[in-house]
Structures are given as structure tokens and as C-alpha cells.
Amino acid sequence: MRDRDVAIVGAGPSLRKVKDLKEEIIVAADGASRYLESYVRTPDIIVTDLDGITKINGSSFYVVHAHGDNIPSIDMVIEMKKMVGTCQGFQLGRTKMYGGFTDGDRAALLALIAKARKVSLYGMDFDDEKIGMYSKPYLLDDIPLSERKKIKLKIAKEILQFSGLI
């Protein structure tokens, strides 16, 4: 990503308006990868905590966030040809800590750390009252935000404001 234009694509309701991306590198936040693979192009990097993706493609690089809620899905990692693990706390072994609270803001911070020339955000609907249907594989449409998701998006927005991305 160094010195390249990077698109960070979240799974918010506005994702379905994304039809073409001009950036050199496309980074999908978890389930946004399903939309991109179907309607735009396969993302170069997928930042995931494994709750939005349904299959592993052979070409994307995966940045997988480890936490207690995704232990049942961890077997998906075996299929990933290119992968790095991330953590929220102390780095253990080969895990990395790039910061961030959600897949979307972790993806954006990763681009900053990698010294991307320009970072553009798509489908990152922090102030919307709905969660995008691509956030979870079982959703058939956008749904109202839970109180917990509102808090998560508020924290993610604050992180990106502090980092200067929004």
C-alpha cells in the first residue's frame, strides 16, 4: 500500500452504490468483500474478524482479527493462502496490532500505517440508522442498528476522526 491510492470499503448501507473503484488497492472490511467480489472486483486485502465472510478466495491477502467471539470460525484461516493475524491487546507470536475497533477502522489504520498516498472511504456509514446487509451473511436486507452496534460505530468514527481520515 505504500505510496499507493487505497480504497477502504465498509459494509454500510451505501455499499450498494459502489459500482467502480479507481484506487490501486482495494481493502474490504469483512462482509463488504462479498459485494465487491460480485459487483466490482476481488479485493486485494480483506480485513476480517470472520463474521462477515462466507468463503475464502485464493487471491486476496487476509488480515484476520482474533477475539473470543470468532473461535468457532477460526478453521477458515486454514484455507487462507496469504494471511496475518491481528490482536487487540498484547502482540503474541506473529500477531500484529494495527489498532482500530471494527474491521473498517482497522482496515483504514492499516492503510495509514502502510503509508498509503491517499485513503478513500466507501460504505463507511457511521451515522446511518441501519446496518448494511453485507455486514453478516445471514442478512437479506439492511436492518436497524442495535444499541451495541451504534456504540461500536461511534468508537470507530472517533478513531478515524482522531487519525485524520474523516
Side-chain angles (χ1 to χ4, degrees), residues 33 35 40 47 64 67 83 89 91 95 97 106 139 152 160-161:
S33 63
Y35 174 85
V40 182
V47 177
V64 180
H67 60 71
M83 186 273 295
Q91 296 180 147
T95 61
M97 185 174 67
R106 272 195 297 277
L139 295 178
K152 287 181 175 182
L160 293 182
Q161 286 172 327

Side-chain angles (χ1 to χ4, degrees), residues 55-161:
K55 64 182 174 96
I56 306 305
N57 70 57
S59 60
S60 296
F61 188 95
Y62 288 84
V63 178
V64 180
H65 190 67
H67 60 71
D69 292 349
N70 66 358
I71 291 171
S73 303
I74 206 72
D75 286 346
M76 293 176 82
V77 172
I78 295 168
E79 300 173 42
M80 297 174 183
K81 293 184 171 128
K82 301 175 278 186
M83 186 273 295
V84 64
T86 66
C87 59
Q88 198 84 13
F90 295 105
Q91 296 180 147
L92 297 172
R94 294 181 177 174
T95 61
K96 303 292 179 191
M97 185 174 67
Y98 300 117
F101 190 70
T102 68
D103 295 320
D105 60 304
R106 272 195 297 277
L109 292 176
L110 178 63
L112 285 180
I113 290 167
K115 300 194 184 306
R117 176 178 46 229
K118 180 181 177 190
V119 178
S120 301
L121 305 179
Y122 302 90
M124 305 280 278
D125 304 324
F126 299 109
D127 299 319
D128 203 292
E129 289 298 314
K130 293 194 173 193
I131 185 172
M133 67 182 283
Y134 288 93
S135 295
K136 305 288 184 220
Y138 53 83
L139 295 178
L140 301 176
D141 202 353
D142 301 340
I143 62 168
L145 287 175
S146 67
E147 288 304 313
R148 181 177 176 163
K149 188 66 174 182
K150 285 180 186 177
I151 293 167
K152 287 181 175 182
L153 290 176
K154 180 178 186 277
I155 293 169
K157 181 179 179 181
E158 289 173 355
I159 289 169
L160 293 182
Q161 286 172 327

